[in-house]
Amino acid sequence: MTHWTTLAQQYDATKDRAITELFDGSDRAADFTARAGDMVFDYSKTNIDSATRDTLLALARDSDVAGRRDAMFSGARINETEDRAVLHTALRNLDGGPVMVDGVDVMPEVLATLARMRNFAHDVRSAGYTDVVNIGIGGSDLGPAMAVQALSPYHDGPRCHFVSNVDGADISDKLRGLDAKTTLVIVASKTFTTIETMTNARTARAWMREHGGDPTRQFAALSTSEDKTADFGIDASRVFGFEDWVGGRYSVWGPIGLSLMIAIGPQAFDAFLRGAQDMDRHFCAAEVHENLPVLLALTGIWHNQICDHATRAVLPYDERLGMLPSYLQQLEMESNGKGVQRSGANSLRHTGPVVWGAAGTNGQHAFYQLIHQGTRVIPCEFLLAANGHEPDLAHHHQLLVANCLAQSQALMKGRSLDAAREIAAAKGFTGAELDRQARHRVFPGNRPSTTLLYPKLDPFTLGQIIALYEHRVFVEGIILDIISFDQWGVELGKELATSLQPVVEGTEDPSNQDPSTAALVSYIHQHRD
Ligand code: F6P
């Protein structure tokens, strides 16, 4: 019998069991909690029991997670459809020794680029720049934008802005009010061909020229393509290169993180890298049953592939992690939203879940109604710091913590019909109306959640958190036998957008399009100002 079959049977046998029962007579709260340094992952409020956990751990072992992990860290070409190594971990390997790709140690180059970034960041921070505008999209935007927001208490450099959307509204709103003479524009694009980024970069260059700035001095580029950055007119001294073994959604650790480094300073950026390196070491050294990335992945596999809960909510009770759900959407859904296995055969089961969420407590006043009483079960992943950054507002933090803990408790315990009837009776309802009112106040409960706790959202911890999720995605991908590092699913739309451009502009006949698209184009043409 395969582990998948055993897991399915274990699910069938336990799906109606109350999670609360699992705590009876056991030390489950401790037993279903794992640590990496100061970070704690509690998965006790799930329906995973010891037998299920054993099967999940066996699944991880037999999927050769350890062997594939070692292959990734040692520079093997595990991105098979693009024939590339996957070595974002080298970017944070500050004191970890050589990393070989095709027989060459890449660390001297990585450390030299990091040293150039530090010098550049230092110069920008002391040269009177008021603002930095990072122009990029996807991995060239979400990582630095999320991290800059997350670490705002550590900002002591110029203000940072992020332009990503090709919608002119984005760049127009972001540039409004900026002084072109004291603004640095960073064009962040691994390929330096992405249409959104290159369009925004040209618009920013024209804006700077028009408003008295000097793009020949005030533009920098982050890319794997030195030729294309030179063609754009950016001097090599302000170009920070990286290799194709850094995937876009894994690139915040190197040059793509330059805006973050300018915002918080090179020293704090080092702490960010060290946090990630710390998680890398944990991932490589900890036994599977104590290994946070493995346990997060197995919890995800259990909820998505076995229990068939198609989405997972990421709920940071940490306002500054408000962009984490968007960041994880790219990291998880671009990595594991695949339909075929490594061999090219159709996937045997559903792959990556839909990832979504928002910062607490705001989400409580928006979508938690559905999480608590809706007909679908949504596994929730809470993130919470023991400390905030506002000592004068400690009471806010206590409230925040209480709310986070209350939500996972409410999801697990729910509220029975009897308890709901008491509440309705206390409100004065009687007879059939009491029954009706009570039924609206029932919470089914038994809804799974996990909680990730950390002391404080500082640069080191943020590095740990992001690396934790990167490795979680990796482990899920290995278990699902898919390739997590390519993204062919974004190509078709890009190609069609290019061929539709002349149709939209009116220089090509829309009648060659499918009837729906032709009708939509016709509406746009008719209503164009
Ligand atoms: O959306 C596809 C994608 O290739 C992402 O993987 C990547 O992060 C993004 O586009 C931006 O690419 P680039 O950094 O090459 O502009």
Side-chain angles (χ1 to χ4, degrees):
M1 197 187 310
T2 68
H3 297 310
W4 292 105
T5 314
T6 310
L7 287 168
Q9 289 176 353
Q10 287 171 329
Y11 171 66
D12 276 341
T14 60
K15 62 178 186 289
D16 298 322
R17 173 183 60 193
I19 296 171
T20 47
E21 274 176 28
L22 292 168
F23 289 85
D24 294 344
S26 79
D27 197 5
R28 181 175 173 84
D31 188 20
F32 283 73
T33 291
R35 286 166 192 279
D38 286 340
M39 185 171 276
V40 162
F41 176 60
D42 172 5
Y43 59 110
S44 65
K45 291 191 182 87
T46 67
N47 195 22
I48 298 172
D49 59 20
S50 298
T52 303
R53 179 171 60 186
D54 287 347
T55 317
L56 288 165
L57 291 171
L59 177 66
R61 282 193 198 95
D62 292 353
S63 306
D64 194 24
V65 167
R68 306 282 302 162
R69 174 200 64 202
D70 293 347
M72 174 171 76
F73 276 85
S74 65
R77 291 177 180 270
I78 62 168
N79 178 354
E80 295 164 54
T81 60
E82 294 181 314
D83 192 24
R84 290 175 185 167
V86 175
L87 274 179
H88 46 280
T89 49
L91 300 177
R92 56 219 192 195
N93 179 37
L94 292 185
D95 45 20
V99 176
M100 309 302 283
V101 177
D102 297 334
V104 177
D105 180 11
V106 299
M107 285 316 300
E109 186 73 38
V110 166
L111 296 176
T113 303
L114 186 58
R116 283 186 58 229
M117 285 170 63
R118 286 183 186 128
N119 287 337
F120 184 76
H122 176 77
D123 290 350
V124 170
R125 284 159 59 83
S126 45
Y129 281 107
T130 53
D131 297 89
V132 172
V133 177
N134 184 89
I135 297 180
I137 197 165
S140 298
D141 165 72
L142 286 165
M146 182 269 287
V148 162
Q149 182 181 331
L151 297 178
S152 66
Y154 301 87
H155 286 199
D156 53 5
R159 290 179 294 261
C160 284
H161 315 269
F162 292 87
V163 173
S164 54
N165 200 327
V166 76
D167 185 338
D170 195 7
I171 192 156
S172 170
D173 286 357
K174 301 278 168 54
L175 295 184
R176 189 176 308 128
L178 298 193
D179 182 347
K181 298 190 195 78
T182 58
T183 296
L184 175 77
V185 173
I186 299 176
V187 185
S189 176
K190 180 175 168 178
T191 54
F192 232 68
T193 58
T194 304
I195 188 87
E196 292 94 330
T197 300
M198 299 324 297
T199 304
N200 279 322
R202 283 190 287 271
T203 300
R205 188 171 55 184
W207 166 82
M208 189 174 274
R209 281 189 189 128
E210 212 176 294
H211 293 84
D214 180 0
T216 61
R217 288 189 311 106
Q218 292 169 239
F219 263 60
L222 321 172
S223 180
T224 55
S225 173
E226 281 176 24
D227 293 353
K228 294 196 177 77
T229 56
D231 290 349
F232 192 85
I234 301 178
D235 189 79
S237 62
R238 276 173 279 106
V239 175
F240 298 87
F242 53 104
E243 299 296 326
D244 68 2
W245 38 256
V246 180
R249 52 195 176 274
Y250 299 86
S251 60
V252 67
W253 316 105
I256 294 294
L258 183 63
S259 51
L260 174 65
M261 189 193 268
I262 292 172
I264 63 174
Q267 223 179 331
F269 190 82
D270 262 24
F272 173 64
L273 297 184
R274 286 192 189 283
Q277 187 182 23
D278 192 67
M279 186 55 70
D280 292 342
R281 288 182 169 147
H282 168 84
F283 181 43
C284 291
E287 295 294 329
V288 275
H289 64 281
E290 292 173 335
N291 196 304
L292 257 59
V294 173
L295 292 172
L296 248 82
L298 293 176
T299 311
I301 295 279
W302 172 252
H303 287 144
N304 183 16
Q305 280 73 28
I306 307 298
C307 306
D308 205 22
H309 305 320
T311 83
R312 74 169 157 244
V314 178
L315 306 168
Y317 275 67
D318 204 324
E319 171 67 14
R320 296 188 177 103
L321 283 180
M323 279 192 70
L324 185 69
S326 307
Y327 172 80
L328 292 180
Q329 279 178 338
Q330 188 200 16
L331 181 66
E332 305 204 10
M333 293 163 76
E334 201 169 71
S335 297
N336 286 347
K338 306 289 164 63
V340 295
Q341 298 173 297
R342 281 170 65 205
S343 67
N346 285 341
S347 180
L348 299 173
R349 44 192 61 85
H350 285 306
T351 56
V354 176
V355 177
W356 61 286
T361 58
N362 296 18
Q364 289 174 208
H365 298 272
F367 51 79
Y368 276 44
Q369 164 66 41
L370 184 148
I371 289 183
H372 284 289
Q373 288 189 316
T375 51
R376 292 188 172 88
V377 173
I378 297 167
C380 294
E381 301 193 347
F382 295 98
L383 292 97
L384 179 65
N387 301 285
H389 282 86
E390 289 71 30
D392 299 347
L393 301 175
H395 60 295
H396 283 248
H397 196 72
Q398 317 289 16
L399 261 174
L400 181 74
V401 171
N403 269 278
C404 180
L405 301 180
Q407 291 302 325
S408 62
Q409 202 175 50
L411 285 166
M412 176 172 73
K413 289 182 155 180
R415 181 194 283 150
S416 68
L417 182 58
D418 283 348
R421 286 177 65 84
E422 273 177 35
I423 291 168
K427 288 188 179 300
F429 294 112
T430 56
E433 185 58 11
L434 186 153
D435 199 53
R436 188 171 82 95
Q437 292 287 342
R439 289 177 63 78
H440 287 277
R441 290 165 171 78
V442 168
F443 287 65
N446 219 21
R447 300 199 162 188
S449 71
T450 61
T451 305
L452 185 74
L453 292 174
Y454 43 89
K456 192 173 186 171
L457 188 63
D458 58 19
F460 185 89
T461 304
L462 182 68
Q464 284 180 305
I465 292 174
I466 302 175
L468 168 62
Y469 278 99
E470 286 178 349
H471 294 320
R472 180 254 192 105
V473 168
F474 170 80
V475 174
E476 289 195 6
I478 296 302
I479 292 175
L480 296 170
D481 192 27
I482 56 181
I483 297 179
S484 298
F485 297 101
D486 59 20
Q487 55 283 319
W488 299 108
V490 303
E491 294 300 323
L492 181 58
K494 285 186 194 172
E495 282 165 28
L496 293 181
T498 305
S499 65
L500 270 167
Q501 201 177 337
V503 179
V504 172
E505 286 166 355
T507 55
E508 228 173 70
D509 186 0
S511 64
N512 296 330
Q513 304 296 322
D514 67 83
S516 163
T517 306
L520 295 171
V521 169
S522 153
Y523 175 93
I524 305 271
H525 286 171
Q526 278 168 26
H527 289 80
R528 196 168 265 168
D529 290 339

